[in-house]
Amino acid sequence: MEFHLDPRSGLPMYLQIVQQVKDALRLGLLDVGDQLPTVREVVAAIGINPNTVAKAYRELERDGLVVARPGRGTFVASSLGSPSVEHHDALRRGLLAWLREAQRAGIDEESIRALVSSTLREALDRRVA
Amino acid sequence: MSAPLETVALGKRFRGRWALRDCTLRAPEQTVVGLTGPNGAGKSTLLSLAVGLLEPTEGTIRVLGRDPRRSADAIAEVGYVAQDAPLYRSFTVAETLEFARATNVRWDGALADELLGGLSRQTRVSALTPGERSRLALAVALGKRPGLVLLDEPFARLDPLAARAFLQVLMDGVAETGATVVIATRVVTDIERACERIVLLGEGGVRLDGTVEELLESHRLLTGVRRPLGRIRGVEEIVRARHSGRQLTLLVRTNGPVLDPTWTVEPIGLEELLLAYMATVELPTPRPPEPSRLRWHG
C-alpha cells in the first residue's frame, strides 16, 4: 500500500500513517497475513523520516493490528473489518441523497466540507465528553 | 547523557551586532532536527559555531560531547554541508568520491555509492544540476558515517522536485546510519516529512523548541466573531490575531482544552504554524521579549 501525507491536516504524520492502515483494514484493502511496506520502502517512496514510519508501525503493533517479524517485515495480524462494512452501501446512498439535497439548496463544495467536518467534530466531541 | 549537539546560552557577536544570542538547545541522539527561523536569525552562525569555524562570544557549545574549537576528532565525525554544497568544480564525481575516501579517517564507499544511485561517475561537478550537486555533497557527508550531520539551507537552490528527491536520499541515509541530523532551513514546506523536532530561532534566542507532535498538540486556530480580547480559558499565548469583516481568527498556544463554545477550535498544520511564528519575529535588531506578542494584521 502507499501512504499519502497531508501537511495541512494538523495531524502528526505518524498518526496519518496509522489512520491510513486502519482505513485500509476497515475497507478490506488489507487483510490478515498481508505485509506492510518496509520502513526503507516507505522512506524511499515518500521521503519521510524513518523514525516516523517505525513509530507508526509500533503504534499499530501495540493495538494488536500488526506484528513485526524481525528480519522479515511487518504483517497484518488482525482485521478491523466489522459487520458494519455491509452497511456501507446503504450509508453511501443516504449520503449521496443528502449531498444532492445540499446542492439543490445551493451550497457549494467548500461549505459542504465545512458543514460535514464541523458536524462530525461536534458529534465526536459529544461522544467523548 | 550528552546529546550530539548541545548549546547553553550560546551567543555570537559580530562588530557589536548579535548574530545569535541566548541559544540553549539540544539535538538528541538519532533524531532529525529542523532548525528554522527568518533570514538573519542565526541559523548559519549556529552551524559555523558547531563545526568550529567561529568562536562563541558567550555560552558553550558541545559537539559529540566535545568542544568543536579544541577537538579535531569531534569535527572528523561531523558531516557538514555548507550553503551551495561546495565541491571542487573541476573534479568528476568519481574523483570527488576518491578524494573523500583519501581525506576521511572513516569512509563507507558502498554507502556513498548507494546514495548516488545512477548518477554518472564520469561527469564533472561543474556539469551537474543543482539537485545532483547537492546529492553528491550529501553522499560525501554521509559516507563519513558521521555521528552528526549539519546541513545549511539544503533546499534553498533546489526546485520542489529536486528538493523532494534530496529529502528521499537524506532520509534513506538516516535510515542506514542512524545519524543525528540538524537541517538549517527557512523553507518549511517539507520540514515535517524529515524532522521530528523543530527549533525556531528569532528575536535573539530560541522562540520555539519541541517535537512536531508537541507543537501540533499545543497550538490551535480559534475562529469567532470579532470582539475585544480578554483572557480565554485554555490559552497560554496569542501568537497571531487576524480579522476580516466580523470574523476574528486567532492562532494560540494552549495550556489546556479550549471549551468556550463561542470559538470554533481547529488544529493547525506545521507549515502554517511555523510561518506564523516567523512573521512575529522582528529582525535584524533583536529586542527584549514583550509580555504580550499580540499583533494585528489586515
Side-chain angles (χ1 to χ4, degrees), chain B residues 104-122:
Chain B
N104 284 298
V105 185
R106 205 162 27 164
W107 179 247
D108 185 341
L111 175 63
D113 253 335
E114 194 190 323
L115 296 176
L116 283 175
L119 186 64
S120 160
R121 304 298 191 264
Q122 300 320 312

Side-chain angles (χ1 to χ4, degrees), chain B residues 73-264:
Chain B
D73 294 358
I75 298 305
E77 290 170 35
V78 175
Y80 172 54
V81 181
Q83 279 189 39
D84 307 336
L87 295 162
Y88 294 102
R89 294 175 61 82
S90 60
F91 279 19
T92 63
V93 171
E95 286 163 351
T96 304
L97 292 176
E98 177 54 28
F99 182 73
R101 189 193 62 73
T103 49
N104 284 298
V105 185
R106 205 162 27 164
W107 179 247
D108 185 341
L111 175 63
D113 253 335
E114 194 190 323
L115 296 176
L116 283 175
L119 186 64
S120 160
R121 304 298 191 264
Q122 300 320 312
T123 312
R124 289 201 186 282
V125 167
S126 55
L128 296 174
T129 65
E132 291 167 338
R133 208 171 301 168
S134 338
R135 186 175 187 145
L136 178 57
L138 182 62
V140 168
L142 287 170
K144 293 166 77 173
R145 289 225 160 232
L148 178 66
V149 178
L150 303 172
L151 305 173
D152 197 355
E153 293 292 352
F155 310 114
R157 299 183 125 213
L158 303 182
D159 63 66
L161 271 181
R164 184 59 69 83
F166 179 87
L167 208 54
Q168 282 171 348
V169 177
L170 174 62
M171 289 300 110
D172 199 26
V174 168
E176 176 61 32
T177 60
T180 298
V181 183
V182 177
I183 308 175
T185 176
R186 55 178 190 278
V187 182
V188 292
T189 314
D190 269 342
I191 205 168
E192 195 177 351
R193 285 177 175 265
C195 303
E196 300 148 276
R197 289 191 75 87
I198 304 286
V199 174
L200 191 141
L201 295 180
E203 293 183 270
V206 175
R207 180 78 173 91
L208 262 187
D209 181 5
T211 67
V212 170
E213 280 156 51
E214 285 163 3
L215 297 180
L216 292 179
E217 187 51 45
S218 60
H219 289 84
R220 288 289 180 271
L221 277 176
L222 309 189
T223 314
V225 175
R226 194 168 163 182
R227 71 195 79 172
L229 280 174
R231 256 185 54 79
I232 305 169
R233 207 177 146 81
V235 170
E236 171 90 34
E237 175 189 349
I238 296 172
V239 180
R240 182 191 69 192
R242 275 184 177 163
H243 57 80
S244 68
R246 288 191 296 131
Q247 183 180 295
L248 178 60
T249 306
L250 305 179
L251 167 59
V252 300
R253 191 156 55 80
T254 58
N255 54 16
V258 178
L259 298 169
D260 182 342
T262 64
W263 295 104
T264 305

